[in-house]
């Protein structure tokens, strides 16, 4: 659970430097996507909290119980928080490990089939949004497309991994080539983080 400190939410602490995801995500993308887009969602959410029904609640509770502008900023804060902390420096052949690898093979047939479906659902999402890997209440893995600021939490799912498909996520490095961006992201996924979320 992500909790406010003295009534305000803080930006996530990144487990890597601004240039460390290059060439998958450049330092310029980090400067704009993390430093400006995410900061704006955090600022807008913090401005809406004082004397509201959401004051003092966790980010996840706010996402599950809000709508309108509060939901949009809280959802985008949570989505980006989960997105940015799940990465590490690029590794070739960076395949899933541990329990999540076993569950992916069980529920999708193979790592390759899972990645193909995840990329296809990310590439095929019309407009702005997110593609997610989540676990349902029985621990079965599902891939969902979520528009705009939506998060699988609101459907009772446990979110495990997400790729941002808003244009601001890829336009600096990949221009209009969303499928190339999605394919490249596999090289920087920190599967240890995904396994911790899956526990
Ligand atoms: Mn984004």
């Amino acid at each position: 659970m992500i909790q406010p400190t003295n009534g305000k939410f803080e930006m996530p602490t990144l487990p890597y430097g601004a240039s460390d995801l290059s060439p998958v995500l450049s330092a310029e993308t980090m400067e704009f996507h993390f430093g400006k887009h995410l900061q704006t969602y955090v600022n807008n959410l913090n401005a809406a909290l004082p004397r509201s029904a959401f004051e003092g609640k966790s980010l996840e509770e706010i996402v599950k119980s809000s709508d309108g502008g509060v939901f949009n900023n809280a959802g985008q804060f949570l989505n980006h928080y989960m997105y940015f902390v799940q990465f590490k420096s690029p590794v070739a052949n960076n395949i899933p490990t541990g329990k999540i690898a076993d569950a992916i093979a069980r529920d999708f047939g193979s790592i390759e089939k899972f990645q193909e479906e995840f990329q296809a659902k990310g590439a095929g999402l019309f407009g702005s949004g997110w593609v997610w890997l989540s676990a349902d209440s029985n621990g079965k893995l599902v891939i969902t497309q979520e528009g705009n600021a939506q998060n699988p939490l609101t459907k009772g799912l446990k979110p495990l991994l997400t790729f941002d498909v808003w244009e601001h996520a890829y336009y600096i490095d990949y221009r209009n080539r969303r499928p190339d961006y999605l394919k490249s992201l596999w090289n920087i996924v920190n599967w240890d983080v995904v396994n911790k979320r899956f526990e």
Side-chain angles (χ1 to χ4, degrees):
M1 296 281 236
I2 299 162
Q3 303 284 355
T5 306
N6 299 321
K8 287 196 182 300
F9 287 102
E10 289 167 1
M11 291 281 281
T13 304
L14 294 179
Y16 48 80
S19 307
D20 291 349
L21 305 184
S22 179
V24 176
L25 298 176
S26 66
E28 188 183 2
T29 283
M30 292 302 297
E31 180 189 345
F32 279 84
H33 194 192
F34 181 82
K36 297 185 190 294
H37 286 279
L38 175 52
Q39 184 72 64
T40 300
Y41 296 125
V42 175
N43 292 348
N44 288 345
L45 178 62
N46 282 333
L49 293 179
R51 293 170 300 280
S52 77
F54 307 106
E55 199 169 14
K57 290 192 172 169
S58 73
L59 183 57
E60 291 85 349
E61 286 171 321
I62 296 172
V63 167
K64 283 194 263 188
S65 61
S66 62
D67 57 16
V70 171
F71 174 80
N72 286 339
N73 286 294
Q76 283 295 77
F77 179 22
L78 178 58
N79 296 348
H80 284 95
Y81 196 115
M82 295 188 70
Y83 175 79
F84 283 114
V85 304
Q86 74 190 359
F87 294 141
K88 63 178 183 182
S89 296
V91 177
N93 303 313
N94 180 40
I95 58 169
T97 53
K99 287 188 174 163
I100 196 70
D102 298 340
I104 286 171
R106 180 193 67 204
D107 294 335
F108 298 100
S110 68
I111 303 298
E112 292 72 23
K113 282 183 188 164
F114 156 70
Q115 290 184 329
E116 276 172 28
E117 183 182 338
F118 198 85
Q119 286 170 226
K121 285 195 167 156
L125 190 153
F126 186 79
S128 296
W130 302 78
V131 58
W132 288 88
L133 175 69
S134 301
D136 72 11
S137 55
N138 297 316
K140 183 180 189 301
L141 299 181
V142 290
I143 299 171
T144 63
Q145 295 172 315
E146 307 289 344
N148 297 318
Q150 284 292 336
N151 184 294
L153 265 184
T154 64
K155 298 173 173 170
L157 297 170
K158 180 195 265 192
L160 304 174
L161 171 75
T162 189
F163 288 1
D164 186 347
V165 297
W166 284 59
E167 283 187 348
H168 69 221
Y170 57 87
Y171 231 79
I172 290 172
D173 295 325
Y174 300 86
R175 296 303 175 191
N176 61 323
R177 294 176 288 115
R178 190 195 284 186
D180 291 349
Y181 153 78
L182 291 167
K183 196 173 177 189
S184 298
L185 286 183
W186 296 121
N187 293 331
I188 58 170
V189 171
N190 185 342
W191 288 102
D192 292 343
V193 173
V194 180
N195 269 305
K196 285 206 183 75
R197 291 172 181 169
F198 188 45
E199 273 170 12

